[in-house]
Every structure is written in C-alpha cells, then in structure tokens.
Amino acid sequence: MKHAIAIRHVAFEDLGTLAPLLRARGYTVQYLEAGVDTLSRLDALAPDLLIVLGGPIGAYEEGLYPFLDDELHLLRTRLQADRPTLGICLGAQLMARALGARVYPGPAKEIGWKPLQLIAEGAASVLAPLDGTLTSMLHWHGDTFDLPEGAQCLASTDLCRHQAFQWGRHALAFQCHPEADPARLERWFIGHACELSQAGIDIPALRADSATHGPTLARQAAQALGAWLDQLPTP
C-alpha cells in the first residue's frame, strides 16, 4: 500500500472527495494536525504523497503560528527532492512561499462558486476536466501569491491570477478547492461563520450554489486528480 499524509489546519477542511479517490488508488491516509502534531519529527521524504490542506490563517503568519516554520521547512525539503506533493488553498500558498514566492492579501475575498479559466498549459494538463465550460469551482480565500520561479501557471480567475500551478514533475497546487464535498460543506458554513459575515456572503445562496455545482465538481475533480495520481511514481 502507498502512504499519504495530509496536514490539516482545521478539522472540517479535510480531504473531502479526495479521500475515496486516494483509497481507490491504493493509498492509506494519515492526518497530521498542524499546531498539535510535531511536524518537525516527520521525515519529509518518507510519505509517498504529502497533501497540505486549507485553513483560515495566513501563510506568512509564522510569528503568530510558529508551526508554519516547520511546514515550510517540510515543503522546501520535499519539493527540492521532487517528491509528490499536493497543496490546496493555504497548502498552495505555503508551497509558493516554500519555493521563494511572495504570499499577500488579494484584491478582495474570493468566496463562492466560479468557473476556472484554464490557460493553454492547463487545458493540456490533467486539469482539463476542471475547465470552466465543464464545471464550476469552489473558491474560499482572501490571500494570493506570486508564481514561484520555475513554476507553470495552469488556471486563473478574474480576481486571482494564479489559481493552480505545477512545479517540477510531481508537485501540484490549487488556490481553489477541487476537493470540496457538497455533502459536507455545511461544516464550512458553520466553521467560517465570522468570515462569511464579515465578507457579506449570502449563506443561503452559497448553500444553494453548492447543491447545484458540487456534484458536478466532484465528478470532474475525480477525473482530474485521479489522472494526476495515476502519473505519480510508484514506490
């Protein structure tokens, strides 16, 4: 069996629809809880796959959350070795920072469902099933990042130029949330209640959009992420 480790920052932002996909591809999954588990003890190169998930803190806030230093060190080591790595939302921002790029507040909160705009390289990649003509995408972030040197941008939106990038042969990062499970998003609406209120988000409308778009995203993301997993090296 292949071994995947997922670093989780808040309990409800988990692997979502990616969890059954990993099981179907022969992975056992272990969660490590950021800020609770000692990430500095983890052998950065040992897992067959490392996934860094989302969360409500900034990738640049290590002064407030010192465990971010351990995550950044873990990602630098792993990325330099070209070991399979997936970042989602905060995870993508941490990957960008680990690769030397700047992470900073974006022009506005981007929360809700909106299609991705795949650029030519994205349309020719495993992300093709996530094209905006095929599915909408869940966005939930306030920060953004510069594209790391040597990375290839794959997708954008009007508010966020860098929605997805690949680096090396085996690293993929999403600013957005392809793993979003429509059956479990009510936990997000509760857990992020303060952020949603401050951003002026209409929660009933967001819930309705999630019911409308979520099942299609789940199918398309399974195709895209399944194709990405299939091209990773076998242990």
Side-chain angles (χ1 to χ4, degrees), residues 162-195:
H162 303 134
Q163 281 285 354
F165 71 84
Q166 61 184 11
W167 192 87
R169 295 174 298 167
H170 305 131
L172 182 62
F174 289 94
Q175 175 66 89
C176 50
H177 286 277
E179 87 294 0
D181 183 346
R184 299 160 68 87
L185 285 177
E186 195 67 30
R187 299 183 305 161
W188 293 43
F189 306 153
I190 298 167
H192 290 309
C194 291
E195 180 183 24

Coordinates of all heavy atoms in Angstrom, one line a residue, residues 162-195:
H162 N -3.3 33.5 -10.2 CA -2.7 32.1 -10.0 C -3.6 31.2 -9.2 O -3.5 31.2 -8.0 CB -1.3 32.3 -9.4 CG -0.4 33.2 -10.1 ND1 0.4 34.2 -9.5 CD2 -0.1 33.3 -11.4 CE1 1.1 34.9 -10.4 NE2 0.8 34.3 -11.6
Q163 N -4.4 30.5 -9.9 CA -5.4 29.6 -9.2 C -4.8 28.2 -9.1 O -5.2 27.4 -8.2 CB -6.7 29.5 -10.0 CG -7.6 30.7 -9.7 CD -8.3 30.7 -8.3 OE1 -8.1 29.7 -7.6 NE2 -9.0 31.7 -8.0
A164 N -3.9 27.8 -10.0 CA -3.3 26.5 -9.9 C -2.0 26.5 -10.6 O -1.8 27.3 -11.6 CB -4.2 25.4 -10.6
F165 N -1.0 25.8 -10.1 CA 0.3 25.7 -10.7 C 0.9 24.4 -10.5 O 0.6 23.6 -9.5 CB 1.3 26.9 -10.2 CG 1.8 26.7 -8.8 CD1 2.9 26.0 -8.5 CD2 1.2 27.4 -7.8 CE1 3.4 25.9 -7.2 CE2 1.7 27.4 -6.5 CZ 2.8 26.6 -6.2
Q166 N 1.8 24.0 -11.4 CA 2.6 22.8 -11.2 C 4.1 23.2 -11.1 O 4.5 24.2 -11.7 CB 2.4 21.8 -12.3 CG 2.8 22.4 -13.7 CD 2.5 21.4 -14.8 OE1 1.8 20.4 -14.6 NE2 3.0 21.6 -16.0
W167 N 4.8 22.4 -10.3 CA 6.3 22.7 -10.2 C 7.0 21.4 -10.2 O 6.6 20.5 -9.5 CB 6.5 23.5 -8.8 CG 7.9 24.0 -8.7 CD1 8.3 25.2 -9.2 CD2 9.0 23.4 -8.1 NE1 9.7 25.4 -8.9 CE2 10.1 24.3 -8.3 CE3 9.2 22.1 -7.5 CZ2 11.4 24.0 -7.8 CZ3 10.5 21.8 -7.1 CH2 11.6 22.8 -7.2
G168 N 8.1 21.3 -11.0 CA 8.7 20.1 -11.2 C 7.8 19.1 -11.8 O 6.9 19.4 -12.5
R169 N 8.1 17.8 -11.6 CA 7.3 16.8 -12.2 C 6.1 16.3 -11.4 O 5.1 15.8 -11.9 CB 8.2 15.6 -12.5 CG 9.3 15.8 -13.6 CD 10.2 14.6 -13.7 NE 10.9 14.3 -12.4 CZ 11.5 13.2 -12.1 NH1 11.6 12.2 -13.0 NH2 12.1 13.0 -10.9
H170 N 6.2 16.5 -10.0 CA 5.3 15.8 -9.2 C 4.6 16.7 -8.1 O 4.1 16.2 -7.1 CB 6.0 14.7 -8.4 CG 6.6 13.7 -9.4 ND1 7.9 13.3 -9.2 CD2 6.2 13.1 -10.5 CE1 8.3 12.5 -10.2 NE2 7.2 12.3 -11.0
A171 N 4.6 18.0 -8.3 CA 4.0 19.0 -7.4 C 2.9 19.7 -8.0 O 3.1 20.3 -9.1 CB 5.1 19.9 -6.8
L172 N 1.7 19.8 -7.4 CA 0.6 20.5 -7.9 C -0.1 21.3 -6.8 O -0.2 20.8 -5.7 CB -0.4 19.4 -8.5 CG -1.7 19.9 -9.1 CD1 -1.4 20.8 -10.4 CD2 -2.6 18.8 -9.5
A173 N -0.5 22.5 -7.1 CA -1.1 23.4 -6.1 C -2.3 24.0 -6.6 O -2.4 24.5 -7.8 CB 0.0 24.5 -5.7
F174 N -3.3 24.1 -5.8 CA -4.6 24.7 -6.1 C -4.9 25.8 -5.1 O -4.9 25.6 -3.9 CB -5.8 23.7 -6.0 CG -5.8 22.7 -7.1 CD1 -5.2 21.5 -6.9 CD2 -6.5 23.0 -8.3 CE1 -5.3 20.5 -7.9 CE2 -6.5 22.0 -9.3 CZ -5.9 20.8 -9.1
Q175 N -5.1 27.1 -5.5 CA -5.6 28.1 -4.6 C -7.1 27.8 -4.3 O -7.6 28.2 -3.2 CB -5.5 29.5 -5.3 CG -6.1 30.6 -4.5 CD -5.4 30.9 -3.2 OE1 -4.4 31.6 -3.2 NE2 -5.8 30.2 -2.2
C176 N -7.8 27.2 -5.2 CA -9.2 26.9 -5.0 C -9.4 25.5 -4.4 O -8.4 24.9 -3.9 CB -9.9 26.9 -6.4 SG -9.1 26.0 -7.7
H177 N -10.7 25.0 -4.4 CA -11.0 23.8 -3.6 C -11.6 22.7 -4.5 O -12.8 22.4 -4.4 CB -11.9 24.1 -2.5 CG -11.3 24.9 -1.4 ND1 -10.6 24.3 -0.3 CD2 -11.2 26.2 -1.1 CE1 -10.1 25.2 0.5 NE2 -10.5 26.4 0.1
P178 N -10.8 22.0 -5.3 CA -11.3 20.9 -6.0 C -11.8 19.7 -5.2 O -12.6 18.9 -5.7 CB -10.2 20.5 -6.9 CG -8.9 20.9 -6.2 CD -9.3 22.1 -5.5
E179 N -11.4 19.7 -3.9 CA -11.7 18.5 -3.0 C -13.1 18.7 -2.4 O -13.5 17.9 -1.6 CB -10.6 18.4 -2.0 CG -10.7 19.2 -0.7 CD -10.6 20.7 -0.9 OE1 -10.4 21.2 -2.0 OE2 -10.7 21.4 0.1
A180 N -13.7 19.9 -2.6 CA -14.9 20.2 -1.8 C -16.0 19.2 -2.0 O -16.4 18.8 -3.1 CB -15.5 21.6 -2.3
D181 N -16.5 18.7 -0.9 CA -17.6 17.6 -0.9 C -18.9 18.3 -0.6 O -19.1 18.8 0.5 CB -17.2 16.6 0.2 CG -18.2 15.5 0.2 OD1 -19.3 15.6 -0.4 OD2 -17.9 14.5 0.9
P182 N -19.8 18.4 -1.5 CA -21.0 19.1 -1.3 C -21.9 18.6 -0.1 O -22.6 19.4 0.5 CB -21.8 18.9 -2.6 CG -21.2 17.7 -3.3 CD -19.8 17.7 -2.9
A183 N -21.7 17.3 0.2 CA -22.4 16.8 1.4 C -21.9 17.2 2.7 O -22.5 17.0 3.7 CB -22.4 15.2 1.3
R184 N -20.7 17.8 2.7 CA -20.0 18.2 4.0 C -19.8 19.7 4.1 O -19.2 20.1 5.1 CB -18.7 17.4 4.1 CG -18.9 15.9 4.1 CD -17.6 15.2 3.7 NE -16.6 15.3 4.7 CZ -16.4 14.5 5.7 NH1 -17.3 13.5 5.9 NH2 -15.4 14.6 6.6
L185 N -20.3 20.5 3.2 CA -19.9 21.9 3.2 C -20.7 22.7 4.3 O -20.3 23.8 4.7 CB -20.2 22.5 1.9 CG -19.2 22.2 0.8 CD1 -19.6 22.8 -0.6 CD2 -17.8 22.7 1.2
E186 N -21.7 22.1 4.9 CA -22.4 22.8 5.9 C -21.5 23.1 7.1 O -21.6 24.1 7.8 CB -23.6 22.0 6.4 CG -24.6 22.8 7.3 CD -25.3 23.9 6.5 OE1 -25.5 23.8 5.3 OE2 -25.6 24.9 7.2
R187 N -20.5 22.2 7.3 CA -19.5 22.4 8.4 C -18.7 23.6 8.1 O -18.2 24.3 9.0 CB -18.6 21.1 8.5 CG -19.4 19.9 8.9 CD -18.4 18.7 9.0 NE -17.6 18.5 7.9 CZ -16.4 17.8 7.9 NH1 -16.0 17.3 9.0 NH2 -15.7 17.7 6.7
W188 N -18.4 23.9 6.8 CA -17.6 25.1 6.4 C -18.5 26.3 6.7 O -17.9 27.3 7.2 CB -17.3 25.1 4.9 CG -16.3 24.0 4.5 CD1 -16.3 22.7 4.9 CD2 -15.3 24.2 3.6 NE1 -15.3 22.0 4.2 CE2 -14.6 22.9 3.4 CE3 -14.8 25.3 2.8 CZ2 -13.6 22.7 2.6 CZ3 -13.8 25.1 2.0 CH2 -13.1 23.8 1.8
F189 N -19.8 26.3 6.4 CA -20.6 27.4 6.7 C -20.7 27.8 8.2 O -20.8 28.9 8.5 CB -22.0 27.2 6.1 CG -22.1 26.7 4.7 CD1 -23.2 26.0 4.2 CD2 -21.1 27.1 3.8 CE1 -23.2 25.6 2.9 CE2 -21.2 26.7 2.5 CZ -22.2 25.9 2.0
I190 N -20.6 26.7 9.0 CA -20.6 27.0 10.4 C -19.3 27.4 10.9 O -19.1 28.4 11.6 CB -21.1 25.7 11.2 CG1 -22.5 25.3 10.8 CG2 -20.9 25.9 12.7 CD1 -22.9 23.9 11.3
G191 N -18.2 26.7 10.5 CA -16.9 27.0 11.0 C -16.3 28.3 10.5 O -15.5 28.9 11.2
H192 N -16.8 28.8 9.4 CA -16.3 30.1 8.8 C -17.4 31.1 8.9 O -17.4 32.1 8.1 CB -15.9 29.9 7.4 CG -14.6 29.1 7.2 ND1 -13.5 29.4 7.9 CD2 -14.3 28.1 6.4 CE1 -12.5 28.5 7.5 NE2 -13.0 27.7 6.6
A193 N -18.3 31.0 9.9 CA -19.4 31.9 10.0 C -19.0 33.4 10.2 O -19.5 34.3 9.5 CB -20.3 31.5 11.2
C194 N -17.9 33.6 11.0 CA -17.5 35.0 11.1 C -16.9 35.6 9.8 O -17.2 36.7 9.5 CB -16.4 35.1 12.3 SG -17.1 34.7 13.9
E195 N -16.1 34.8 9.1 CA -15.5 35.3 7.9 C -16.6 35.5 6.9 O -16.6 36.5 6.2 CB -14.6 34.2 7.3 CG -13.9 34.6 6.0 CD -13.0 33.6 5.4 OE1 -13.2 32.4 5.7 OE2 -12.1 33.9 4.6

